[in-house]
Amino acid sequence: AIVVGVKKGGTRAVLEFIRVHPDVRALGTEPHFFDRNYDRGLEWYRSLMPRTLDSQITVEKTPSYFVTKEAPRRIFNMSRDTKLIVVVRNPVTRAISDYTQTLSKKPDIPTFEGLSFRNRSLGLVDTSWNAIRIGMYAVHLESWLQYFPLSQIHFVSGERLITDPAGEMGKIQDFLGIKRVITDKHFYFNKTKGFPCLKKSESSGLPRCLGKSKGRTHVQIDPEVIEQLRDFYRPYNIKFYETVGQDFRWE
């Protein structure tokens, strides 16, 4: 199974939570095989994977696959039975989170507003900016549906992953066809970080929270900018809800 997206949606949390399961072995780093390293060949990719028993599922996550044109075909050519997990969240919040992360590494980039619009007074959103483009989920999904049926793609709500981690993880376990082992008793809510953490990790038996790069305080954005972006995303969101048969309530 591959967690194919999306960046700043909650993919790391899903990976850390699911690898607690005894029937799952997960690669901790992002291999970027189906986007950046494809020329290294399948044997290289396989060599990165943890050793598994026949009864175990191997999982990797690389959130940029979701927006990579070639990724669906390449994964399909490897195995048409691959199960795909996509973690999505409100595209406006996702874009702000994405920008916040970039800003922490490159403090001199232009403002969020400046990057979001080609012309703000006309309300022209700059869809070439990656942080905006990633959130147009319905557009990217089309490429995947050319190769995989919806039944092989599971969508996780990044919002519900925070408010009800056990519920979302229950659905993921059902989708992967494994027993519901990860339940409420695995989580506690970390008030400082503002999201759930595991009571104990697979390796140490100690509580495990995601690293300091997760749960950053978002940059403050002008509410009017947020409103304009909400308007921009609305048709894409509605199309996405209709395609996947699930309302994520981002409106």
Side-chain angles (χ1 to χ4, degrees), residues 77-110:
N77 287 340
M78 174 189 72
S79 166
R80 59 182 58 192
D81 300 325
T82 306
K83 291 192 170 184
L84 308 167
I85 295 171
V86 187
V87 191
V88 286
R89 76 194 274 201
N90 184 318
V92 182
T93 326
R94 198 220 64 79
I96 296 168
S97 176
D98 201 331
Y99 176 79
T100 304
Q101 181 177 17
T102 309
L103 191 66
S104 71
K105 296 173 188 164
K106 302 178 188 161
D108 49 355
I109 56 168

Side-chain angles (χ1 to χ4, degrees), residues 180-199:
R180 283 199 178 201
V181 170
I182 304 161
T183 58
D184 277 335
K185 63 178 192 295
H186 284 84
F187 300 98
Y188 72 94
F189 194 81
N190 182 314
K191 287 196 176 66
T192 327
K193 281 199 162 284
F195 53 69
C197 300
L198 287 167
K199 286 187 180 157

Side-chain angles (χ1 to χ4, degrees), residues 146-208:
Q146 287 172 14
Y147 291 92
F148 293 96
L150 265 178
S151 58
Q152 251 168 276
I153 311 174
H154 179 70
F155 299 91
V156 179
S157 159
E159 285 82 12
R160 285 198 300 267
L161 195 59
I162 294 170
T163 56
D164 178 21
E168 283 301 293
M169 293 312 295
K171 291 181 210 158
I172 292 173
Q173 291 169 95
D174 293 348
F175 171 69
L176 293 175
I178 53 181
K179 205 166 144 233
R180 283 199 178 201
V181 170
I182 304 161
T183 58
D184 277 335
K185 63 178 192 295
H186 284 84
F187 300 98
Y188 72 94
F189 194 81
N190 182 314
K191 287 196 176 66
T192 327
K193 281 199 162 284
F195 53 69
C197 300
L198 287 167
K199 286 187 180 157
K200 42 182 192 288
S201 70
E202 56 156 3
S203 49
S204 65
L206 295 166
R208 163 108 179 84

